[in-house]
Amino acid sequence: MNEIERQSEERSWETAKTLAEALPYIQVYDRETVVIKYGGHAMGESAVAKQFAADVVLLKLMGVNPVVVHGGGPQISAMLDKAGVRSSFVDGLRVTDPATMEVAEMVLSGAVNKEIAHWITMAGKEADVRGVGLSGKDAGLLTVEKTRRTKRDPDSMIEHEVDLGFVGEPTKVDPKLIAGLIALLAAAVLAQFGVDTHAPRGADREVHRTTDCRADAPTAVLLSETAQDC
């Protein structure tokens, strides 16, 4: 047995071991929609991305309906540096002005989102499982409202509101598009942008990004809850 065959056999045993350990959970979540948060520096490593895509396909083939919700903070920061756009943060949250918003949407909805969808499609090629990249603003999928934050002045101890710009918190998910993709043996890959329906019609502030970590939890809950109703 040569080295390549040995490595292939080892991976097969590792996969079998993982499936055996995961079987009880797979049975619990059979035909359920499971939201997977994918982000951080691991997104920049192609080997990790390929393995992640293979795991998503495996879940789909095992009867679970994965929906990938991704971030991309390091990628946004790298592109902002290239574009000469300075970032500012308040309590760990990126302040998203118009210039930052333009870059963030280009990076997340464009490069990052489509790359993840591509890896899933390639991993699921033989099983006809496909990754489909979406933004939360596509077809009104994700509704948000502007994030409100306050910060206490250390000298006066008076709290004042901090404007984070185009940053929103998810309030509603329209599950029809996700349900349609699930029926087509596809895995949805969602870039976290949404539409603020309370903003003035036609205003630039209608679109907000929801990529901060604290927004991921409500997005996941809304997606998993509403997708079951279709």
Side-chain angles (χ1 to χ4, degrees):
M1 179 182 295
N2 60 37
E3 182 64 19
I4 295 177
E5 290 175 336
R6 186 185 64 80
Q7 291 179 358
S8 177
E9 184 175 352
E10 286 181 356
R11 284 195 298 268
S12 297
W13 279 110
E14 288 175 2
T15 300
K17 182 175 181 292
T18 301
L19 285 174
E21 293 173 347
L23 185 58
Y25 302 99
I26 293 172
Q27 290 173 329
V28 169
Y29 293 106
D30 182 46
R31 303 189 186 281
E32 297 285 339
T33 299
V34 174
V35 179
I36 305 169
K37 171 62 173 72
Y38 181 51
H41 292 279
M43 295 179 63
E45 300 180 18
S46 60
V48 176
K50 290 179 182 179
Q51 185 57 57
F52 172 78
D55 290 342
V56 170
V57 171
L58 182 59
L59 284 173
K60 187 70 177 176
L61 295 176
M62 296 297 292
V64 179
N65 298 317
V67 176
V68 179
V69 178
H70 69 83
Q75 290 85 345
I76 293 174
S77 295
M79 186 58 70
L80 287 172
D81 289 342
K82 286 183 180 179
V85 179
R86 181 174 297 179
S87 294
S88 61
F89 294 82
V90 176
D91 293 336
L93 299 178
R94 189 191 302 271
V95 176
T96 306
D97 59 16
T100 302
M101 179 65 175
E102 183 177 354
V103 172
E105 189 163 12
M106 176 181 68
V107 171
L108 295 180
S109 294
V112 173
N113 183 266
K114 299 305 180 280
E115 182 179 72
I116 297 171
H118 168 71
W119 286 126
I120 293 173
T121 299
M122 294 301 294
K125 186 175 181 180
E126 294 189 10
D128 199 27
V129 174
R130 307 178 187 189
V132 179
L134 299 169
S135 164
K137 72 177 187 178
D138 292 338
L141 199 158
L142 186 61
T143 300
V144 303
E145 62 181 22
K146 182 176 171 61
T147 297
R148 306 288 179 183
R149 290 286 187 272
T150 59
K151 188 175 180 67
R152 179 172 295 179
D153 185 278
D155 297 323
S156 65
M157 301 303 289
I158 297 175
E159 287 193 352
H160 61 276
E161 186 170 333
V162 177
D163 186 3
L164 295 174
F166 300 90
V167 178
E169 306 232 3
T171 58
K172 180 182 177 182
V173 171
D174 184 340
K176 291 190 288 291
L177 186 57
I178 298 294
L181 291 174
I182 288 172
L184 292 172
L185 282 181
V189 180
L190 181 63
Q192 293 193 78
F193 292 92
V195 177
D196 182 0
T197 56
H198 296 292
R201 185 174 295 276
D204 288 339
R205 297 181 71 84
E206 281 187 358
V207 178
H208 292 66
R209 69 178 194 89
T210 64
T211 51
D212 109 78
C213 292
R214 278 173 277 190
D216 292 331
T219 301
V221 170
L222 286 168
L223 276 169
S224 57
E225 286 180 348
T226 55
Q228 310 306 326
D229 298 333
C230 293

